[in-house]
């Protein structure tokens, strides 16, 4: 006999909505604590095999963790040093680029005035009004920028500590998770944890390989066009490309602006074609073989969770959105009541006619 639910559907739906709103509220107000913890947990899972390898070589556990954390941050520091040194060289060319952009901007205003039969005076007055409004908000923007920079330095200070703690207390955390569930569920919990660990490790390794290939292709294409700072722009484009779907679009704008400022405007179109070709190769050959095979999340859900992650946690939320969604899918797939949601997140597209036929049979 089917078990009747004691609560009406409307009450159950309101409870679910209230729970989701409360969860998002907690994630938003607690982002200063949760973002470093989440990054640390992901990096700790990534470093865990190397720590285990060192321990198998009879290296002390604490020393193994310290070695793994130091190597990871040396690699990260090397990447930041390269980008920083390139940006310093790039800043030397900013005055000349600004002058050329001002000339191009003036020519654009004149063309718009002639094409739309609007006086240049009105256009300049409107632009001045927008500039004044932007300057009035500059104090707030500077404050937000300084706050973001201080947040980055705090996170960089806390990350090594958090990573060390996660790796050191791994047995304690695993035992705690086991105690949350009855013994009959321990096998399922172990499968979820192992699958989650493998997913994060494989996904992040695949992501780094993809970023290296995309950086090389971007830099090669820009170098062949003779665009200045091709290597810097190629690396930045590859890092932005890590943000699913949205990052690749943002990455195109910067080299196009550089092309307009340093060469003829037609070179911006050439840059667009180069990046479109790289995106075509990335989406059809690199991602399906290296990254997408690790994370089974469909495109619609990916875009939505990236936007939600950006709204909640900013750029870090965009980076973390896809792996966290993949972990949620692993959990949903193991819980009978939540399997439909896991199916919705995944990319296993059912045959349209078959799905409609089954739905019609169910209705009858």
């Amino acid at each position: 006999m089917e078990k009747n639910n004691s609560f009406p559907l409307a009450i159950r739906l309101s409870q679910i909505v209230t729970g989701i709103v409360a969860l998002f509220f907690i994630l938003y107000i607690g982002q200063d604590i949760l973002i470093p913890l989440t990054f640390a947990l992901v990096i700790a899972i990534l470093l865990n095999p190397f720590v285990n390898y060192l321990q198998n070589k009879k290296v002390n556990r604490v020393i193994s963790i310290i070695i793994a954390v130091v190597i990871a941050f040396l690699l990260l520091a090397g990447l930041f040093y390269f980008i920083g040194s390139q940006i310093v060289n790039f800043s030397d060319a900013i005055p000349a680029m600004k002058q050329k952009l001002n000339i191009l901007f003036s020519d654009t205003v004149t063309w718009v005035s002639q094409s739309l039969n609007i006086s240049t005076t009105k256009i300049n007055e409107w632009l001045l009004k927008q500039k004044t409004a932007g300057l009035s908000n500059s104090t707030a923007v500077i404050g937000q920028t300084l706050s973001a920079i201080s947040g980055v330095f705090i996170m960089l200070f806390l990350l090594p500590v958090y990573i060390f703690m996660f790796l050191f207390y791994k047995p304690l955390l695993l035992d705690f998770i086991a105690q949350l569930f009855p013994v009959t569920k321990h096998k399922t919990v172990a499968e979820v944890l192992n699958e989650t660990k493998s997913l994060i490790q494989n996904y992040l390794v695949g992501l780094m390989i993809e970023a290296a290939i995309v950086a090389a292709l971007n830099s090669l294409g820009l170098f062949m066009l003779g665009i200045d700072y091709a290597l810097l722009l190629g690396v930045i484009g590859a890092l932005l490309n890590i943000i699913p779907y949205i990052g690749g679009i943002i990455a195109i704008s910067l080299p196009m602006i550089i092309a307009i400022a340093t060469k003829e405007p037609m070179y911006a179109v050439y840059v667009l074609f180069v990046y479109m070709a790289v995106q075509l190769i990335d989406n059809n050959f690199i991602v399906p073989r290296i990254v997408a095979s690790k994370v089974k999340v469909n495109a619609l859900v990916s875009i939505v969770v990236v936007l939600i992650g950006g709204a909640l946690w900013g750029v870090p939320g965009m980076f973390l959105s896809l792996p966290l969604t993949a972990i949620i899918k692993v959990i949903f797939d193991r819980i009978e009541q939540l399997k439909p949601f896991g199916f919705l997140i995944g990319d296993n597209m059912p045959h349209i006619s078959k799905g409609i036929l089954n739905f019609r049979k169910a209705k009858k």
Side-chain angles (χ1 to χ4, degrees):
M1 187 162 94
E2 187 177 352
K3 184 178 178 182
N4 293 325
N5 199 305
S6 57
F7 294 102
L9 178 61
I11 294 179
R12 282 183 282 145
L13 288 176
S14 64
Q15 290 175 338
I16 293 172
V17 172
T18 303
I20 292 174
V21 171
L23 174 63
F24 283 169
F25 180 72
I26 293 171
L27 291 176
Y28 180 75
I29 65 172
Q31 58 182 298
D32 292 338
I33 299 173
L34 295 175
I35 291 175
L37 280 173
T38 306
F39 269 113
L41 179 60
V42 171
I43 296 174
I45 294 174
L46 182 63
L47 294 178
N48 185 62
F50 183 61
V51 174
N52 291 338
Y53 170 80
L54 292 177
Q55 286 187 259
N56 292 334
K57 296 296 182 180
K58 309 302 181 184
V59 180
N60 180 271
R61 185 158 171 267
V62 174
I63 301 300
S64 300
I65 296 173
I66 293 174
I67 292 173
V69 173
V70 168
I71 291 176
F73 272 83
L74 284 176
L75 294 174
L76 191 63
L79 176 63
F80 278 124
Y81 175 78
F82 164 75
I83 295 176
S85 61
Q86 291 294 311
I87 289 176
V88 169
N89 295 332
F90 173 72
S91 64
D92 295 337
I94 288 180
M97 291 171 56
K98 184 178 178 181
Q99 182 179 3
K100 187 168 182 179
L101 285 174
N102 287 334
I103 296 173
L104 182 63
F105 182 76
S106 178
D107 293 340
T108 303
V109 170
T110 303
W111 177 83
V112 171
S113 174
Q114 294 174 352
S115 301
L116 302 179
N117 197 22
I118 302 175
S119 66
T120 55
T121 304
K122 291 184 178 181
I123 297 176
N124 288 325
E125 286 177 355
W126 181 82
L127 292 172
L128 181 62
K129 181 179 179 181
Q130 299 301 316
K131 183 178 179 180
T132 304
L135 290 174
S136 65
N137 297 325
S138 60
T139 304
V141 172
I142 292 173
Q144 292 174 0
T145 303
L146 293 175
S147 177
I149 293 174
S150 63
V152 169
F153 280 109
I154 291 173
M155 189 170 73
L156 289 177
F157 173 77
L158 290 175
L159 269 181
V161 178
Y162 285 155
I163 294 170
F164 179 88
M165 293 300 177
F166 275 127
L167 290 171
F168 183 77
Y169 288 109
K170 182 185 73 172
L172 176 66
L173 296 173
L174 293 177
D175 196 42
F176 164 73
I177 294 173
Q179 292 182 26
L180 293 176
F181 300 90
V183 177
T184 55
K185 298 292 183 181
H186 281 188
K187 182 179 178 181
T188 302
V189 174
E191 290 175 354
V192 170
L193 291 175
N194 288 329
E195 192 171 345
T196 300
K197 178 187 68 173
S198 300
L199 183 145
I200 292 178
Q201 292 170 352
N202 294 332
Y203 172 72
L204 291 179
V205 171
L207 208 61
M208 288 188 288
I209 295 173
E210 181 210 7
I213 296 174
V214 171
L217 292 175
N218 287 342
S219 302
L220 179 62
L222 295 175
F223 180 77
M224 292 175 65
L225 291 176
I227 304 297
D228 294 337
Y229 312 104
L231 187 58
L232 173 63
L233 295 174
V235 172
I236 292 176
L239 293 176
L240 288 171
N241 192 58
I242 293 176
I243 302 175
Y245 304 101
I246 299 174
I249 299 174
I250 300 174
I252 298 176
S253 59
L254 182 59
M256 289 182 67
I257 293 173
I258 301 299
I260 293 173
T262 57
K263 291 183 174 292
E264 298 298 322
M266 191 62 189
Y267 274 85
V269 179
Y270 298 152
V271 170
L272 178 62
F273 286 151
V274 167
Y275 270 67
M276 288 177 62
V278 172
Q279 284 297 311
L280 185 67
I281 296 171
D282 183 39
N283 294 332
N284 292 280
F285 296 99
I286 301 174
V287 171
R289 290 168 173 77
I290 298 178
V291 181
S293 59
K294 319 301 181 188
V295 179
K296 301 292 185 180
V297 178
N298 66 65
L300 175 61
V301 174
S302 298
I303 294 173
V304 172
V305 297
V306 166
L307 293 175
I308 293 174
L312 289 175
W313 288 357
V315 175
M318 291 183 172
F319 281 103
L320 291 169
S321 58
L322 197 56
L324 292 180
T325 303
I327 292 172
I328 292 172
K329 182 184 183 304
V330 171
I331 297 172
F332 283 178
D333 288 340
R334 296 288 179 175
I335 301 175
E336 192 65 33
Q337 296 88 340
L338 299 176
K339 279 186 177 181
F341 295 99
F343 176 77
L344 178 64
I345 294 173
D347 63 350
N348 294 323
M349 175 67 74
H351 195 274
I352 296 177
S353 60
K354 182 180 177 181
I356 295 175
L357 181 62
N358 291 338
F359 184 73
R360 287 175 177 172
K361 287 181 179 178
K363 287 180 69 178
K364 293 178 180 178

